[in-house]
Amino acid sequence: MRKRPIVSVAAGALALLLSVPASAAQGGPGAAGIGDPYYPNAGNGGYDVSHYDIRLKYQPATDELAGTTTILATAAQDLTRFNLDFVLEVKEVLVNGRTAKFAGTGEHELEITPARVITKGSPITVVVRYADRPGEVERGGQSAWLRTPDGGVAANEPESAAWWYPSNDHPTDKATFDVSVLVPDGTQVISNGTSTQSSRAGWTRYNYRQTKPQATYLATLAIGRFDIRADTTPGGLPVITAYSKDLGDNAGAAQASVERTGELVDWLSGYFGAYPFGTVGGYVPNVPTGYALETQGQIFYSPAQFSRGSNTSVVVHELAHQWYGDSVSVQRWSDIWLNEGFARYSQWLWSEHENEGTTQELADYVYNLYPADHEFWTIKPGDPGADHQFAGAVYDRGAVAVQALRNAVGDEKFFRILQGWPTERKYGNATIQDFQAYAERISGKPLGELLNTWLFTAAKPAVGSAGAAAPSLAKSGPALSGATADVAPEPRSWKKIQETNTVHEHRS
Ligand code: TRP
Ligand code: ZN
């Protein structure tokens, strides 16, 4: 479902490096990457996927995952060969019904040579048959498969798909999904969308269906012993929540947070407009990690996030991503501010709603927390680099940038932008430059200098700098209070908000 090619706005040298050889445009192998400067091998060139049909069997005792994925795609060029992204062991590949040659290359490339050349514009059906133990497969010392005592979970960003299904693994090629997994009775399966199940001879098959366009890393799979609950919001939206049976002391706090999903999605709809997907929910598997992931319509949470009591703030963050990240997705991974800056800002709005600190107080606090020589200000939220994609500054400085935008355009225009953007770009992809153009159109103000200051400069913006023009404290841009750390008290919500992403602090 890729709508347009990635346009490199980076240096000419990079554009040259990324440009497809002239022969490939005519016919030849599809590129091994889709052209994302941060991750040159992510995704693939030469075709667009419309649907994944993932049909698996899983044995929790041994971690054996086996089955087939059927991919429906369309050739974007004449193809002698093309790649999928996959790390598990492949047994067989069929392309349009004929046995195809395949080879694993690089970190996660599955190179497929069909028996016949595929002509541009024609449909491709790829069947990949595979069997492996995903918990044992590492790439670059990392695995996206979290093995649990009762099963396993695929969760990672930007790449998790390759540990359970072959794909064109980049947010610009969205598709619909059917996920069907057979497990022993007593074990449950969680994935995205609506579900049905059937039992026979000691085994249960879970079928999930996502009918809205979904990016590959937002497809989720969790297998284990879960308590699953189904409900609907007052507005009629189905809510599915699930908790590992082994959450121990965290069970109550986890439920007291995630059970508020329906209420919080309605609250966020007031800011962002109608919820974009057919189901909403969240699950808490028995994993040792400390982060959440905005998997589409079915959010992944870690028990550790509820180990200091309930945390509605993290639920707000992940739900905000359903609009900012999932429905409207990054065009390139360098556009990550469009996800994390707005998801963090939503937590600030929730803080204000709960009387635990206003958005302005939080912005002032972040501004004053880090002195000008702190490495925090060396991260550019608008282009943090692959190594710092999820650094704390992408979130916190990113949310300060949102507050600066608000102060520059005024509340009326700001809230029109906040709600209009996810509607304008629903189910699509966008760059920060696209967002800037939209915000300029709605506000009638040039915003280049403001965004350059807050997103694209590796230094602490000075008080009174761009975007901080008005004199009053409340409306003056986050940098304007001139307050020092000892006069800007820590907002009551601060520590809870930081618990959203404990893991990222270690990464930056
Ligand atoms: N997008 C996630 C969030 O902010 C955070 C995240 C980044 C993540 N990298 C990850 C989660 C890797 C799990 C694994 O909510
Ligand atoms: Zn996030």
Side-chain angles (χ1 to χ4, degrees), residues 115-387:
R116 301 174 167 190
V117 175
I118 300 161
T119 55
K120 181 178 175 173
S122 63
I124 318 173
T125 304
V126 190
V127 178
V128 181
R129 195 164 63 78
Y130 51 100
D132 211 335
R133 291 186 175 84
E136 289 173 6
V137 183
E138 286 194 354
R139 288 293 184 274
Q142 294 220 343
S143 169
W145 185 258
L146 305 166
R147 180 82 164 113
T148 62
D150 53 344
V153 187
N156 205 9
E157 184 181 3
E159 286 163 9
S160 60
W163 272 262
W164 66 286
Y165 69 98
S167 75
N168 187 17
D169 198 6
H170 193 271
T172 47
D173 196 358
K174 299 190 188 190
T176 54
F177 283 72
D178 276 320
V179 175
S180 175
V181 185
L182 188 66
V183 289
D185 282 350
T187 294
Q188 284 75 32
V189 179
I190 316 291
S191 190
N192 317 74
T194 56
S195 75
T196 59
Q197 63 197 62
S198 60
S199 240
R200 195 163 65 91
W203 291 82
T204 306
R205 179 170 286 286
Y206 286 79
N207 306 296
Y208 282 86
R209 170 162 281 191
Q210 174 62 268
T211 58
K212 301 292 187 227
Q214 176 169 282
T216 45
Y217 81 103
L218 297 171
T220 197
L221 178 66
I223 301 163
R225 295 175 353 104
F226 286 93
D227 287 319
I228 303 179
R229 304 185 189 185
D231 205 345
T232 48
T233 64
L237 178 68
V239 185
I240 303 134
T241 54
Y243 306 91
S244 165
K245 292 183 194 289
D246 306 311
L247 291 182
D249 291 347
N250 299 326
Q255 288 172 42
S257 314
V258 179
E259 286 306 308
R260 294 184 66 181
T261 295
E263 169 203 347
L264 294 172
V265 83
D266 282 351
W267 181 75
L268 282 169
S269 300
Y271 287 106
F272 302 148
Y275 177 74
F277 306 122
T279 60
V280 71
Y283 70 93
V284 191
N286 181 21
V287 289
T289 46
Y291 46 75
L293 186 62
E294 60 268 27
T295 38
Q296 188 161 308
Q298 188 53 263
I299 292 156
F300 162 90
Y301 297 98
S302 292
Q305 293 174 303
F306 309 107
S307 61
R308 276 159 282 190
S310 66
N311 189 346
T312 46
S313 188
V314 68
V315 179
V316 166
H317 180 107
E318 304 309 330
L319 285 173
H321 275 312
Q322 304 303 308
W323 288 264
Y324 283 86
D326 295 9
S327 173
V328 186
S329 303
V330 293
Q331 176 70 17
R332 305 155 306 208
W333 281 110
S334 57
D335 296 311
I336 192 67
W337 172 71
L338 293 174
N339 296 9
E340 302 305 347
F342 289 83
R344 175 54 47 92
Y345 194 77
S346 305
Q347 294 177 276
W348 291 9
L349 289 168
W350 180 241
S351 165
E352 184 159 339
H353 176 268
E354 296 289 282
N355 286 312
E356 293 185 333
T358 65
T359 61
Q360 185 65 50
E361 283 164 358
L362 282 152
D364 281 338
Y365 185 70
V366 170
Y367 185 81
N368 289 312
L369 189 59
Y370 303 103
D373 60 359
H374 197 282
E375 74 156 345
F376 179 88
W377 299 108
T378 65
I379 307 284
K380 297 179 279 183
D383 189 9
D387 289 349

Side-chain angles (χ1 to χ4, degrees), residues 1-152:
M1 282 192 191
R2 185 150 43 98
K3 302 249 159 44
R4 60 192 169 126
I6 288 183
V7 179
S8 174
V9 296
L14 196 54
L16 220 116
L17 202 90
L18 292 167
S19 70
V20 184
S23 63
Q26 257 52 62
I34 210 166
D36 191 312
Y38 280 17
Y39 305 97
N41 290 319
N44 304 289
Y47 63 94
D48 292 328
V49 176
S50 60
H51 185 71
Y52 293 95
D53 185 285
I54 305 166
R55 198 173 171 86
L56 303 169
K57 179 177 182 178
Y58 183 75
Q59 318 241 29
T62 57
D63 198 33
E64 281 171 293
L65 185 70
T68 57
T69 289
T70 302
I71 300 171
L72 305 182
T74 305
Q77 62 174 69
D78 288 352
L79 281 172
T80 53
R81 198 178 81 200
F82 62 91
N83 283 16
L84 292 169
D85 299 308
F86 199 43
V87 299
L88 303 185
E89 192 182 314
V90 174
K91 305 287 184 195
E92 185 183 21
V93 177
L94 300 178
V95 176
N96 295 339
R98 290 184 161 78
T99 302
K101 289 200 190 100
F102 62 90
T105 64
E107 278 221 327
H108 51 57
E109 299 300 314
L110 175 63
E111 209 176 84
I112 297 172
T113 309
R116 301 174 167 190
V117 175
I118 300 161
T119 55
K120 181 178 175 173
S122 63
I124 318 173
T125 304
V126 190
V127 178
V128 181
R129 195 164 63 78
Y130 51 100
D132 211 335
R133 291 186 175 84
E136 289 173 6
V137 183
E138 286 194 354
R139 288 293 184 274
Q142 294 220 343
S143 169
W145 185 258
L146 305 166
R147 180 82 164 113
T148 62
D150 53 344

